[in-house]
Amino acid sequence: MTIRQARLRRRQTILYIAVAAVVILFLGVYGTYRLDLQPAAGSGGSQRFEVKAGERAPQIATRLKEAGLIRNRNAFLTYINFHGLRTRLKAGVYALSPTKSGQTIARLLTDGRVDAKRLVVPEGSKLADIEQLAARHGITATDFKAALAAPHSDAFLSGKPATVSLEGYLFPDSYQIESNTTAAMLVNTMLKTFGQRVGPEYVRAFAAQGLTLHQGLTVASIVEREVSRPEDRPVVAQVFLKRFREGIALGSDPTTDYAAALTGVPFNLSLDSPYNTYRYAGLPPGPICSPGLPAMDAVARPADTSYLYFLSDKTGKTHYTKTFAEHQRNIDKYLR
């Protein structure tokens, strides 16, 4: 072997060694990087972690590390930078666990999978019912009542008498509840939903029946609590509208039951309350529940009939009559 060949071989050997060292170093660094993306702990429950609006990725990574949710701040930043996620981290409150990998946590933050639950408010719910539902999500009764009593400037509330509550105006729907949702936020969201769903078309439709929005909502709430079958709602709405126009007491059990609940006494047809529609003619001061759109539609477009009375028998079927004598016979026939 010539001297030249020996030098060439030595250079090749050095190159191989250098390449091997780089490969070993890379594998070591990569292995450490992958290890640092593993879950920070093998056990542990979820904890609340808030990404604030405008917060930058390095700040988020630092707080994740301080909270014990990730193993290594730099590994987390490297991952989101390499995968183009740095500017996609979304503000919100998250439920994160140290048992999740760095990759998983990054994806949760970029997908905006906030810690949220659903508050489902059924049609026909009263404020007392909504208060209980909210309590299951950590909103206290005291805070809920305070949110109801706070000033509200929604335009559709302008026709609501100041002496009545927001009963009927918290729209029955499904609402997202995050861990930082306050009573005020919930109430305002429900009012906003009412404004979006019960728009000018209902104002016009109620006006065509000689009703204000508040009156139409009040009648709809009674219809909501009286009957549940879709085919009955327009007819029952017609009955109450006809009785209202003719000055006949509505005679609705649900309104009287509402009056009893307000005063904390048992159901009593002689109860002295403006919500007792057996004792007082006309509409009660306000809604007795949050009616759904089908009940509002029934009031906006009542059936073309002339009934004045109705009752539901023990099977749930509704029977209608035009005279009190006929109604009395139905009582004897179906309810006794």
Side-chain angles (χ1 to χ4, degrees), residues 313-332:
D313 64 24
K314 297 176 182 179
T315 67
K317 183 179 179 181
T318 307
H319 302 270
Y320 303 94
T321 58
K322 296 180 181 179
T323 68
F324 182 74
E326 293 173 319
H327 180 62
Q328 190 62 51
R329 285 196 291 271
N330 277 348
I331 292 176
D332 296 335

Side-chain angles (χ1 to χ4, degrees), residues 68-116:
L69 291 167
I70 59 175
R71 280 176 175 263
N72 186 281
R73 171 187 180 275
N74 292 332
F76 182 82
L77 284 173
T78 299
Y79 178 83
I80 63 174
N81 287 335
F82 184 76
H83 289 85
L85 306 177
R86 188 183 183 98
T87 60
R88 292 168 53 191
L89 300 177
K90 295 182 174 63
V93 178
Y94 298 82
L96 303 180
S97 169
T99 61
K100 301 289 187 183
S101 68
Q103 300 100 310
T104 299
I105 289 177
R107 293 296 177 182
L108 289 172
L109 298 184
T110 54
D111 290 345
R113 299 180 195 175
V114 295
D115 177 20

